[in-house]
Amino acid sequence: MPNAVLDLAMDLVSRPSVTPEDGGCQDLLIRRLEAIGFQVTRLPAGEVHNFWAERGARGPRLCFAGHTDVVPPGPREDWHSDPFTPTLHNGCLYGRGAADMKGSLAAMVVAAERFVALHPDHPGRLAFLITSDEEGIAVDGTRRVVEWLQAAGQSIDWCVVGEPSSEEHLGDCIKNGRRGSLNGRLTVHGIQGHIAYPEKADNPIHRSLRPLADLAARSWDQGNAHFPPTRLQFSNIHAGTGVGNVIPGSLQADFNFRFSPESTPEALQTGVEGVLDGADLRYSIDWQLSGPPFFTPPGDLVDAATQAIRAVTGREARLSTAGGTSDGRFIAQLGGQVLELGPINATIHKVNECVAAADLDQLAQIYTQIMTVLLSKTHAHSSPSHAQ
């Protein structure tokens, strides 16, 4: 079936599933997996669709993880074709989710079908963890499935997350870790008043300028051999009543830390509050930890992935921890090795998102090779090394 991956990817793209909607994508995947012997447990939470599928009863567990939800398409008039009508043009599949990450889901499932056909009695356990809440607030998705696994005393030894990790060519980059993400919403409290009588007011804009600049310029850590330094970025600053003659009573600033393992959320919070306290501000902060950093050193999983990429594409993959967050931050809490490996990420979240059709089939070959290497008799009776 030379077009098996492309056909499934097109079927998935044709189902609108803007987060947290699933659009019937998971029903399609579940039917395919059940047909080859997977036991499926649906784990809905709120408006989110999740499922856990597993084949095999004992031995190390290799999991493939992904999401069926996609970001909104944006202005449809800017698309060359309807974002939810899969379209082939110049060897590429166009449509929302083609690269992030319905193409990966199709490659995973077809890879499993091919692997099971060749190894119907494979040792070890092959699993899928699929959610419809990765592009949203990520509260009721993979996080809930991980909690369910933890409550059942289950772990994942190796996990491949199908996020689009490649940069210029398929398989040129593997994400073997990610920085943590910590959000803060700062409110600086002042006293509203007439702009002509500043002595009767307390302008939170004036009070905030220097400490906000100090926070933006501060060095938080130097990173390490695997992670860049921690950075703080402001994403939104708002103050004012909408008119030009009123000193506002408050200022609100949203910011985010992408932090390395050299910093902890607690230390970053203390550092921010120290700067603000030193500026004699009246303020409050709402903190939200999106996830801690994780890192998978070279070992069984990284070796299997790099070998598979080399065998299928002839490329030597580069390891990286750069970029945003993924659901790997939740899965890593189970103690196993986690990496991200998927298509080229050049068009993700953009209009005219696309993926090369040839890359999809090669990606399925890579995934099948990873299954073959890890779910072997050599590993079936041994304990894999875990992430640090």
Side-chain angles (χ1 to χ4, degrees), residues 77-238:
E77 62 271 17
D78 291 345
W79 284 75
H80 297 155
S81 55
D82 187 277
F84 296 112
T85 299
T87 302
L88 287 173
H89 179 66
N90 290 336
C92 290
L93 169 62
Y94 285 81
R96 176 55 84 222
D100 188 14
M101 59 174 292
K102 292 181 175 181
S104 296
L105 293 175
M108 290 175 183
V109 170
V110 172
E113 291 171 339
R114 293 171 176 171
F115 175 76
V116 169
L118 292 171
H119 308 281
D121 300 316
H122 64 83
R125 293 171 287 181
L126 183 59
F128 281 77
L129 192 168
I130 308 298
T131 182
S132 70
D133 184 34
E134 196 276 342
E135 299 289 8
I137 58 176
V139 170
D140 288 325
T142 298
R143 187 196 299 261
R144 298 289 180 237
V145 181
V146 167
E147 291 172 351
W148 175 78
L149 289 168
Q150 289 173 325
Q154 299 296 312
S155 63
I156 294 174
D157 298 290
W158 308 292
C159 184
V160 176
V161 183
E163 290 292 343
S165 63
S166 303
E167 297 177 349
E168 301 293 334
H169 305 281
L170 178 67
D172 61 2
C173 184
I174 295 171
K175 302 292 187 182
N176 66 321
R178 291 285 193 168
R179 293 173 294 174
S181 178
L182 175 66
N183 296 300
R185 171 162 289 181
L186 167 67
T187 301
V188 178
H189 306 287
I191 299 175
Q192 182 173 316
H194 196 293
I195 205 161
Y197 301 97
E199 70 278 3
K200 296 181 180 181
D202 183 3
N203 194 323
I205 299 176
H206 292 188
R207 285 192 175 273
S208 300
L209 290 177
R210 184 175 298 279
L212 294 188
D214 289 344
L215 288 172
R218 178 167 174 159
S219 175
W220 301 91
D221 65 44
Q222 299 304 309
N224 59 33
H226 305 289
F227 287 86
T230 293
R231 301 295 189 199
L232 180 149
Q233 290 291 314
F234 285 98
S235 58
N236 184 59
I237 297 178
H238 174 76

Side-chain angles (χ1 to χ4, degrees), residues 45-379:
E47 298 180 340
V48 175
H49 298 260
N50 305 303
F51 76 82
W52 171 261
E54 187 166 35
R55 192 180 194 278
R58 63 183 60 85
R61 180 183 279 132
L62 168 61
C63 175
F64 283 78
H67 60 90
T68 54
D69 59 318
V70 298
V71 297
R76 297 201 177 204
E77 62 271 17
D78 291 345
W79 284 75
H80 297 155
S81 55
D82 187 277
F84 296 112
T85 299
T87 302
L88 287 173
H89 179 66
N90 290 336
C92 290
L93 169 62
Y94 285 81
R96 176 55 84 222
D100 188 14
M101 59 174 292
K102 292 181 175 181
S104 296
L105 293 175
M108 290 175 183
V109 170
V110 172
E113 291 171 339
R114 293 171 176 171
F115 175 76
V116 169
L118 292 171
H119 308 281
D121 300 316
H122 64 83
R125 293 171 287 181
L126 183 59
F128 281 77
L129 192 168
I130 308 298
T131 182
S132 70
D133 184 34
E134 196 276 342
E135 299 289 8
I137 58 176
V139 170
D140 288 325
T142 298
R143 187 196 299 261
R144 298 289 180 237
V145 181
V146 167
E147 291 172 351
W148 175 78
L149 289 168
Q150 289 173 325
Q154 299 296 312
S155 63
I156 294 174
D157 298 290
W158 308 292
C159 184
V160 176
V161 183
E163 290 292 343
S165 63
S166 303
E167 297 177 349
E168 301 293 334
H169 305 281
L170 178 67
D172 61 2
C173 184
I174 295 171
K175 302 292 187 182
N176 66 321
R178 291 285 193 168
R179 293 173 294 174
S181 178
L182 175 66
N183 296 300
R185 171 162 289 181
L186 167 67
T187 301
V188 178
H189 306 287
I191 299 175
Q192 182 173 316
H194 196 293
I195 205 161
Y197 301 97
E199 70 278 3
K200 296 181 180 181
D202 183 3
N203 194 323
I205 299 176
H206 292 188
R207 285 192 175 273
S208 300
L209 290 177
R210 184 175 298 279
L212 294 188
D214 289 344
L215 288 172
R218 178 167 174 159
S219 175
W220 301 91
D221 65 44
Q222 299 304 309
N224 59 33
H226 305 289
F227 287 86
T230 293
R231 301 295 189 199
L232 180 149
Q233 290 291 314
F234 285 98
S235 58
N236 184 59
I237 297 178
H238 174 76
T241 63
V243 297
N245 61 350
V246 177
I247 292 171
S250 65
L251 174 146
Q252 183 173 287
D254 296 329
F255 60 93
N256 173 267
F257 280 106
R258 293 302 165 97
F259 64 97
S260 80
E262 300 301 311
S263 289
T264 65
E266 295 78 15
L268 296 174
Q269 292 177 29
T270 299
V272 169
E273 292 164 2
V275 170
L276 300 176
D277 290 341
D280 195 26
L281 294 181
R282 293 187 299 116
Y283 69 91
S284 57
I285 304 182
D286 293 325
W287 294 101
Q288 181 187 33
L289 178 63
S290 296
F294 72 90
F295 177 66
T296 296
D300 292 341
L301 182 57
V302 169
D303 290 348
T306 54
Q307 291 172 23
I309 291 168
R310 187 183 306 117
V312 174
T313 71
R315 298 188 181 97
E316 294 297 328
R318 177 175 59 86
L319 300 180
S320 171
T321 62
T325 60
S326 78
D327 279 356
R329 66 191 189 273
F330 304 125
I331 299 168
Q333 295 174 22
L334 292 168
Q337 301 173 25
V338 181
L339 59 75
E340 300 169 28
L341 173 55
I344 295 171
N345 56 25
T347 63
I348 61 174
H349 292 206
K350 296 182 179 180
V351 298
N352 299 315
E353 178 181 353
C354 64
V355 63
D359 283 356
L360 291 180
D361 193 66
Q362 283 202 321
L363 185 60
Q365 294 177 47
I366 291 169
Y367 289 159
T368 301
Q369 181 70 10
I370 292 172
M371 296 175 190
T372 303
V373 171
L374 291 176
L375 296 184
S376 66
K377 291 182 179 179
T378 301
H379 290 95

Side-chain angles (χ1 to χ4, degrees), residues 26-42 51-55 109 112-113 116 128:
Q26 292 187 22
D27 286 340
L28 173 60
L29 299 177
I30 287 170
R31 287 196 299 271
R32 297 281 288 256
L33 292 172
E34 287 182 333
I36 55 173
F38 279 80
Q39 301 296 313
V40 177
T41 302
R42 295 178 186 263
F51 76 82
W52 171 261
E54 187 166 35
R55 192 180 194 278
V109 170
E113 291 171 339
V116 169
F128 281 77

